[in-house]
Amino acid sequence: MRKQYDEQLLQIKDMLKEMCEVDAEAMCLIERALLSHEDVSVAVRECERAADEKEREIERLCMRIIVRQQPVAHDLALITSAVKMVTDLERITDQAADIADILKGAAYCDVPNSLSEMMTAARKMVERCVCALDTFSLDEARAIRRADDVVDGLFVAVKRELAGMVDEGGEGGECAMDMLMIAKYLERIGDHAVNVAEWIVFAARAEQE
Amino acid sequence: MRPELRENVYIRGGAESPKFRVRELDLFYGTFQALKSVDMDIEANEITALIGPSGCGKSTFLKTLDRMNDIIPGCRISGKVELDGADIYAGGMDVNLLRKRVGMVFQKPNPFPASVYDNIAYGPKTHGVRKKSELDDIVESSLRRAAIWDELKDRLKKSALGLSGGQQQRLCIARALAVRPDVLLMDEPTSALDPISTGKIEELAQELKNDYTIVIVTHNMQQAARISDKTGFFLLGELIEFGDTDEVFESPRDKRTEDYITGRFG
């Protein structure tokens, strides 16, 4: 019974995963730009637009399900988490686009090792979100929380490395400022990924309990 | 000119060719006006839900679609009700043929006090089907379409009155389908049923809309929201609002509709 309703709930999960895949794509693009100085800003803006569109679609479908199907119990938990999660998923592409813009105009300098590590760690966190959204698994979601500790640790290391560059002044100093902004955005992206994971836990627990 | 009402003429939906086209429909019971200038297009292969408080005219409106009001003394109707372009209130309309094309399911399941088989076969028999094998086929296909064949296939000779309420209602739907209508009118078909049976009827209605046009009167707004494509809100004989169910429930245009669907009415 309630075939259409069940299909709509599955559709919500699929759409969340698709939105997160867009985030992951944006993360791959900026990682490439950071390492190769390639201009990816147009492609990342495209991801941002796609994520905005997905956000609206998911919100519309959630609204429709609430109005027409009156979800309760764990179905309601899923809808609630979807409505909250899309905000975080949307912020990830926004911040990736900001990073792409900074990289486009950034003064040339060597990227600190800790920053490229941080970039990779943040990208992996977002990719983990895609897996977690595929299964709504508690283990995956918890692993994302743990990964954020790594990103936060790297942020501290980046700051330390950049402080040295600022002290040296000149072009290196200017570049260091840009790198610091990027690091801060990556740190925020990690936090958004954790939020996504927490909403997955909320929905998954409701389903399991 | 004699109106033409052909059997099983399927005209696909679209604003230009609704299944029912109702214009300026007024209905009086004696001096009481029960419907006030109702305009509505009912599209083929959709579920149209009619909601509104008791006495608002929604059941009366439903009955105008197969001329069930004809039998009520003192009932007067003006305006137009066209089925596939033919005015069903025009002189010369074959009412039996109309009711064969437009089936009705009522609030309380009302099987005949006869066997499951005879309940289904009765309609086709009165329309001239005599061959046993043909009747067998109709009984099976009707019960299958009403999603009750598996439950009843071994009880075809048993009395229909021994079935549960939910089964009786699906039997009545099967009985309505047996004469191959193209419209199914349902007057609060689940208000006497438990939630499980209600769910089965709702599921069934959604499957049937692929082949039939369904109009359902319901007191249950959530039911209208769950299953219908279009929703009409009636109040004091007027059709206050009519449109896509999503729009009516998400952003009603009329304050009275909003008050009713949010439970603030009255």
Side-chain angles (χ1 to χ4, degrees), chain B residues 153-217:
Chain B
K153 64 183 175 202
D154 300 322
R155 300 167 66 178
L156 296 178
K157 296 294 166 197
K158 297 257 170 66
S159 169
L161 299 179
L163 304 177
S164 73
Q167 287 174 326
Q168 287 188 5
Q169 193 63 307
R170 276 179 291 148
L171 178 73
C172 291
I173 292 173
R175 186 176 65 188
L177 300 179
V179 293
R180 302 203 167 99
D182 47 38
V183 179
L184 208 51
L185 308 178
M186 298 177 152
D187 195 355
E188 294 182 47
T190 62
S191 56
L193 304 181
D194 69 281
I196 306 282
S197 304
T198 298
K200 285 184 182 164
I201 302 271
E202 288 181 5
E203 197 81 11
L204 176 59
Q206 281 181 314
E207 274 166 33
L208 290 174
K209 79 169 183 181
N210 296 320
D211 297 314
Y212 306 89
T213 302
I214 295 175
V215 187
I216 179 168
V217 162

Side-chain angles (χ1 to χ4, degrees), chain A residues 23-86:
Chain A
D23 291 351
E25 191 190 333
M27 293 300 285
C28 284
L29 285 166
I30 53 168
E31 187 178 26
R32 209 163 78 203
L34 185 72
L35 301 178
S36 70
H37 304 282
E38 188 186 330
D39 178 10
V40 296
S41 55
V42 174
V44 178
R45 285 281 166 213
E46 204 46 60
C47 291
E48 194 194 1
R49 264 193 295 275
D52 286 352
E53 181 55 36
K54 273 268 172 281
E55 181 187 24
R56 279 191 294 271
E57 277 176 32
I58 292 168
E59 282 172 349
R60 268 199 300 267
L61 183 56
C62 288
M63 171 97 158
R64 183 153 303 168
I65 292 175
I66 291 168
V67 166
R68 296 189 63 149
Q69 308 287 358
Q70 304 93 41
V72 291
H74 67 253
D75 297 344
L76 184 59
L78 172 67
I79 303 289
T80 309
S81 63
V83 169
K84 297 291 286 184
M85 213 188 286
V86 287

Side-chain angles (χ1 to χ4, degrees), chain B residues 22-89:
Chain B
V22 180
R23 289 293 179 272
E24 294 177 14
L25 183 70
D26 289 320
L27 185 143
F28 295 85
Y29 292 128
T31 54
F32 174 72
Q33 187 166 6
L35 292 175
K36 296 169 187 166
S37 194
V38 174
D39 290 336
M40 190 187 286
D41 284 346
I42 296 170
E43 302 295 340
N45 302 104
E46 282 192 350
I47 299 178
T48 300
L50 308 178
I51 59 169
S54 294
C56 69
K58 57 193 188 300
S59 289
T60 297
F61 177 80
L62 192 76
K63 287 176 193 152
T64 62
L65 301 178
D66 71 346
R67 290 185 53 170
M68 291 274 286
N69 291 308
D70 285 12
I71 52 174
I72 297 171
C75 177
R76 250 180 333 111
I77 289 169
S78 67
K80 257 194 177 160
V81 179
E82 290 175 358
L83 173 59
D84 288 335
D87 187 349
I88 65 170
Y89 284 96

